[in-house]
Amino acid sequence: MDNGDKSWMNCLRWTEEYSHGVNNFLHKAFERASQGDEILCPCKKCVNRYWHYRNVVEEHLVVEGFVDNYTKWVFHGEGFYSRNAPDPINDDEDSNLRDDIDGLLHDTFRNMEGESAHEEVKREGLLSEDAKKFFKLLEEGKQELYPGCVTFTKLSFTIQLYLLKTLHGLSNVAFSDILALLKEAFPFSQLPESFNKARNMIKDLGLNYEKIHACPNDCMLFWKDNEKAENCSVCRSSRWKSVGNALTNAKSKIPAKVLRYFPLKPRPQRMFMCPETSVAMRWHDNERPNDGNIRHPADGEAWKDFDSLHPDFSRDPRNVRLGLSTDGFNPFRTMSISHSTWPVMLMNYNLSPWICMKSEYIMLSMIIPGPSSPGNDIDVYLQPLTAELKELWEAGIETYDAETNQTFRMRAALLWTVSDFLALAMVSGWSTIGKLACPTCNYDTCSQYLKHSHKMCYMGHRRFLPRDHPLRKDKKSFNGQEEHRPAPTPLSGVELFEELREFNNVYGKGKKKASG
């Protein structure tokens, strides 16, 4: 199926243009993606989940219209020519995954065609082994899938095939068999020979993640010194759970809980491998308007205070400023199931405000598994990220800058976190409920319990107004008293450090704790 004009999909459904487009779509879909006399119905009601005859699909498309954003007809033969289509899912997810991959590769491939042989030789002597492997993979990935192919390269086809494996739960053996069949059918194609070869391509591209086993009660990670431990040192729970096979009655061990962690260091390094994104990483210093207006975090007091405290870090604008954000969500799309998975994201604030919050530039750091919220035990899961951030702050990492054709020692700093009030309690460790809910006022929080509604009320906000503000003397609108107290003084970092110096927190939700 070709990638022709699909503007007819936006026409009114009773027009001749829309009817002609639907008939052409059905003709191609039944030619290349049918099972018997049926195809998957892409209407808003069926959402590529149900198989129907041609007349039923045509009726649905006229009455309901196409599912939103279904412009890549992957379930109907576009780009893939297998008649045995896998069990479908919502194409919005498939499209989003593809867009994420496209966004990741877009800046990396850009401008590489214009490099001269001299620049490549010069660059080769500056790159680390991992970076050399990365560039070699990109060069190989630009090969045509087969002679004359304009739709796919070897790398892009492998990535999309790997995505389909993940989306539809294909086993590694099934994936290898499909590759073998495609190699036999298209002997001139540049396909990898097996699942392991395809996975290695993905790994070299930097799209892999680490699986770190965790205690089922969130007490600890089986990581570093505890990597080979079989039981939690806090609650004594096993790191494994047994799963039985109903057919063979055999039992196997699988990890009770797994943290998916995406290493941080290679990701900002890749930003400097493309000249255009390397320039964009200096936007906050070289191109940001400096007229006193707040357009970017670099215009704020926190950024400026950080620069004054750490002049060595701020001297090189290529050093990376990060923000962390996290929140829970239910991945099963139904409120009848109580499940909370917590992704942790990192934002790159070196970039301009119109791209730093785009999905392709936000870095997924880890996925904390459910089914319950980690609560205060989120610190357990943040350990790998904390270790990398500490290393990037203290020592940095040697990085190739494609814009200057030189290497430099890149450092990184986490400036702040972004979250709602409930997630703030988890990340900061300060309880945001009860008498002392305000992290700014801390022990000086003005709170009052309302006995009839059984809720806490916070009435001390007039303390932040100017001394001569008329609302300070307004008794009737508030609690019947004038407010003359000054605003509370926030605790400094030194004071917080001193208060927590002797504090020993035991993480986990297990009932049985280790003795001694």
Side-chain angles (χ1 to χ4, degrees):
M1 186 171 291
D2 57 12
N3 293 310
D5 180 24
K6 298 174 183 174
S7 59
W8 59 267
M9 296 177 67
N10 299 318
C11 296
L12 296 175
R13 295 195 294 275
W14 54 82
T15 61
E16 184 177 350
E17 184 178 1
Y18 182 83
S19 176
H20 177 75
V22 167
N23 286 326
N24 183 57
F25 164 79
L26 292 173
H27 175 73
K28 296 291 186 182
F30 273 94
E31 180 182 334
R32 295 179 176 173
S34 64
Q35 288 193 353
D37 295 329
E38 297 179 321
I39 63 169
L40 290 166
C41 181
C43 76
K44 292 182 179 180
K45 184 178 179 181
C46 298
V47 196
N48 287 316
R49 291 178 296 177
Y50 306 113
W51 298 83
H52 292 301
Y53 294 107
R54 180 184 179 117
N55 61 330
V56 177
V57 176
E58 183 176 6
E59 180 182 349
H60 284 194
L61 292 178
V62 172
V63 175
E64 305 289 344
F66 280 85
V67 63
D68 294 339
N69 300 321
Y70 187 46
T71 56
K72 296 180 180 179
W73 297 334
V74 293
F75 295 123
H76 298 89
E78 184 170 277
F80 302 94
Y81 300 106
S82 171
R83 290 182 177 271
N84 297 317
D87 291 336
I89 65 166
N90 191 322
D91 189 67
D92 291 346
E93 295 178 3
D94 180 64
S95 178
N96 289 338
L97 280 171
R98 294 170 192 275
D99 291 343
D100 290 344
I101 295 294
D102 291 342
L104 177 66
L105 297 178
H106 180 264
D107 290 322
T108 308
F109 281 110
R110 190 167 25 180
N111 286 353
M112 288 188 63
E113 299 287 350
E115 289 190 346
S116 66
H118 171 72
E119 287 174 330
E120 288 185 2
V121 171
K122 183 178 179 182
R123 181 193 69 193
E124 192 71 16
L126 298 172
L127 295 178
S128 65
E129 289 303 317
D130 288 341
K132 288 178 182 178
K133 187 185 297 184
F134 181 79
F135 273 104
K136 182 180 179 181
L137 174 66
L138 293 180
E139 292 296 337
E140 292 177 353
K142 289 189 289 185
Q143 299 174 7
E144 295 176 341
L145 180 61
Y146 55 84
C149 179
V150 296
T151 307
F152 293 108
T153 65
K154 174 184 177 181
L155 181 60
S156 67
F157 187 82
T158 302
I159 289 174
Q160 296 208 39
L161 201 60
Y162 198 90
L163 281 174
L164 288 181
K165 171 203 176 328
T166 306
L167 286 169
H168 303 299
L170 292 177
S171 68
N172 298 347
V173 175
F175 187 79
S176 295
D177 289 345
I178 291 173
L179 284 174
L181 182 63
L182 288 173
K183 288 283 287 184
E184 185 177 348
F186 306 102
F188 299 106
S189 63
Q190 299 292 322
L191 285 170
E193 289 80 9
S194 64
F195 166 76
N196 288 333
K197 293 288 183 66
R199 182 174 59 181
N200 289 337
M201 288 182 67
I202 304 297
K203 278 188 174 182
D204 290 342
L205 196 60
L207 299 178
N208 61 311
Y209 59 86
E210 298 175 11
K211 290 183 179 180
I212 303 175
H213 297 179
C215 169
N217 294 317
D218 303 329
C219 305
M220 58 172 280
L221 295 179
F222 295 95
W223 179 64
K224 284 195 171 181
D225 294 341
N226 299 313
E227 185 176 1
K228 296 183 179 180
E230 294 292 320
N231 297 91
C232 173
S233 61
V234 179
C235 69
R236 303 303 188 192
S237 297
S238 173
R239 71 187 288 178
W240 310 101
K241 63 180 179 181
S242 296
V243 177
N245 189 316
L247 297 177
T248 63
N249 292 325
K251 290 189 176 181
S252 59
K253 292 195 304 183
I254 64 172
K257 210 166 194 178
V258 179
L259 168 70
R260 268 80 176 178
Y261 178 69
F262 298 80
L264 170 62
K265 288 183 288 187
R267 301 164 89 175
Q269 278 186 308
R270 287 202 298 269
M271 295 292 291
F272 288 99
M273 288 184 180
C274 171
E276 286 190 19
T277 51
S278 179
V279 171
M281 290 292 283
R282 300 172 173 84
W283 183 91
H284 67 95
D285 187 72
N286 297 340
E287 301 179 49
R288 174 175 57 90
N290 194 7
D291 55 6
N293 295 319
I294 297 181
R295 296 185 176 89
H296 186 269
D299 299 313
E301 290 299 322
W303 189 295
K304 295 174 182 177
D305 287 345
F306 180 86
D307 283 353
S308 64
L309 291 172
H310 307 285
D312 291 340
F313 183 93
S314 59
R315 194 171 292 122
D316 191 341
R318 294 173 294 187
N319 287 331
V320 183
R321 323 288 182 111
L322 299 171
L324 182 146
S325 181
T326 184
D327 202 357
F329 77 103
N330 186 336
F332 300 108
R333 298 182 176 182
T334 172
M335 298 308 294
S336 63
I337 299 176
S338 178
H339 191 105
S340 183
T341 296
W342 285 70
V344 177
M345 311 284 189
L346 290 172
M347 275 67 70
N348 184 345
Y349 287 113
N350 282 39
L351 303 170
S352 59
W354 49 87
I355 64 173
C356 69
M357 299 303 292
K358 286 187 175 293
S359 59
E360 55 264 36
Y361 292 101
I362 294 177
M363 296 176 281
L364 177 62
S365 177
M366 67 183 70
I367 300 176
I368 302 174
S372 60
S373 164
N376 288 334
D377 302 321
I378 194 173
D379 289 355
V380 172
Y381 295 99
L382 292 176
Q383 288 179 90
L385 176 60
T386 303
E388 274 201 283
L389 286 171
K390 186 177 180 181
E391 183 180 346
L392 285 171
W393 170 253
E394 294 177 348
I397 185 171
E398 202 70 22
T399 301
Y400 170 72
D401 184 353
E403 202 270 329
T404 62
N405 213 8
Q406 297 176 344
T407 58
F408 72 102
R409 186 155 290 276
M410 180 190 68
R411 297 171 63 197
L414 182 68
L415 295 191
W416 46 64
T417 62
V418 182
S419 60
D420 60 21
F421 207 50
L422 295 177
L424 174 65
M426 293 172 46
V427 177
S428 68
W430 185 279
S431 176
T432 55
I433 58 175
K435 288 186 176 181
L436 306 178
C438 179
T440 301
C441 300
N442 50 75
Y443 296 115
D444 205 12
T445 300
C446 185
S447 57
Q448 182 178 350
Y449 181 72
L450 305 178
K451 64 179 182 180
H452 295 294
S453 62
H454 306 290
K455 295 183 181 295
M456 294 298 300
C457 175
Y458 307 95
M459 294 293 292
H461 47 277
R462 286 185 292 167
R463 301 165 65 187
F464 293 91
L465 295 173
R467 287 286 188 148
D468 57 349
H469 199 284
L471 287 179
R472 280 184 172 268
K473 296 183 178 181
D474 187 349
K475 299 180 181 180
K476 185 176 180 181
S477 301
F478 296 94
N479 58 356
Q481 299 176 6
E482 293 184 5
E483 181 61 83
H484 298 291
R485 293 176 298 169
T489 303
L491 290 176
S492 67
V494 175
E495 290 172 323
L496 286 171
F497 180 77
E498 289 298 325
E499 286 202 15
L500 297 173
R501 181 192 292 273
E502 304 297 330
F503 184 76
N504 182 26
N505 190 14
V506 178
Y507 295 105
K509 303 178 179 67
K511 295 181 180 179
K512 182 180 178 181
K513 305 292 182 181
S515 59

